[in-house]
Amino acid sequence: MSDCLFCKILAQEIPANIIYEDDKIIAFDDIQPQAPHHKLIIPRKHIATLNELTPEDIYLTGHLLYVAQQLAKKLGTADTGYRVVMNCNQDAGQAVYHIHLHLLGGRKLSWPPG
Ligand code: AMP
Ligand code: ZN
């Protein structure tokens, strides 16, 4: 998708601090971190929102979660706690329409979210 910010990061047209990559997924630092650790984990495949997910993407979304777990362990926040979030559409505050898992950790996170 030529007008998608995260596709541009995937194409290396926009810089990002990439902390993990494999053939299906990349992860990078959020540009406006909301916690000491705030990473974004995205599929290479352009999927606009969770609503566009198809059965063929089921393994991919599990892969996103597994990478989140691996990164949380690497960042040292797995035992203390962390949160993964995927916003879907306007009411959830989705700003970039290429699905991404937020990984937040390194501080106490309040609940319920705002
Ligand atoms: P969401 O509101 O769930 O769509 O989250 C989009 C996230 O992308 C926000 O947390 C932004 O701070 C982050 N973001 C926007 N532009 C960039 C960028 N160029 N590099 C890294 N993160 C970004
Ligand atoms: Zn995209």
Side-chain angles (χ1 to χ4, degrees):
M1 289 284 286
S2 56
D3 59 345
C4 170
L5 177 67
F6 288 173
C7 282
K8 286 181 179 161
I9 287 177
L10 283 159
Q12 297 180 334
E13 291 167 14
I14 290 177
N17 186 37
I18 295 171
I19 54 161
Y20 173 85
E21 59 183 320
D22 63 34
D23 61 331
K24 297 279 189 285
I25 283 175
I26 72 166
F28 52 91
D29 290 335
D30 195 293
I31 206 167
Q32 281 192 297
Q34 302 300 315
H37 302 304
H38 188 176
K39 314 297 179 189
L40 299 175
I41 305 152
I42 73 168
R44 291 186 186 274
K45 178 180 177 183
H46 179 89
I47 301 168
T49 81
L50 197 52
N51 290 338
E52 276 72 49
L53 209 68
T54 67
E56 74 174 25
D57 302 319
I58 290 172
Y59 186 84
L60 182 62
T61 46
H63 190 172
L64 291 174
L65 279 169
Y66 185 69
V67 169
Q69 179 234 68
Q70 293 290 302
L71 289 176
K73 286 182 177 174
K74 199 169 164 187
L75 293 164
T77 192
D79 291 338
T80 45
Y82 60 96
R83 183 172 295 162
V84 290
V85 177
M86 188 180 286
N87 296 319
C88 182
N89 277 338
Q90 297 93 325
D91 280 2
Q94 184 174 1
V96 180
Y97 282 77
H98 177 133
I99 61 165
H100 47 282
L101 210 53
H102 294 257
L103 167 63
L104 297 144
R107 70 169 170 84
K108 187 142 180 67
L109 299 162
S110 59
W111 192 264

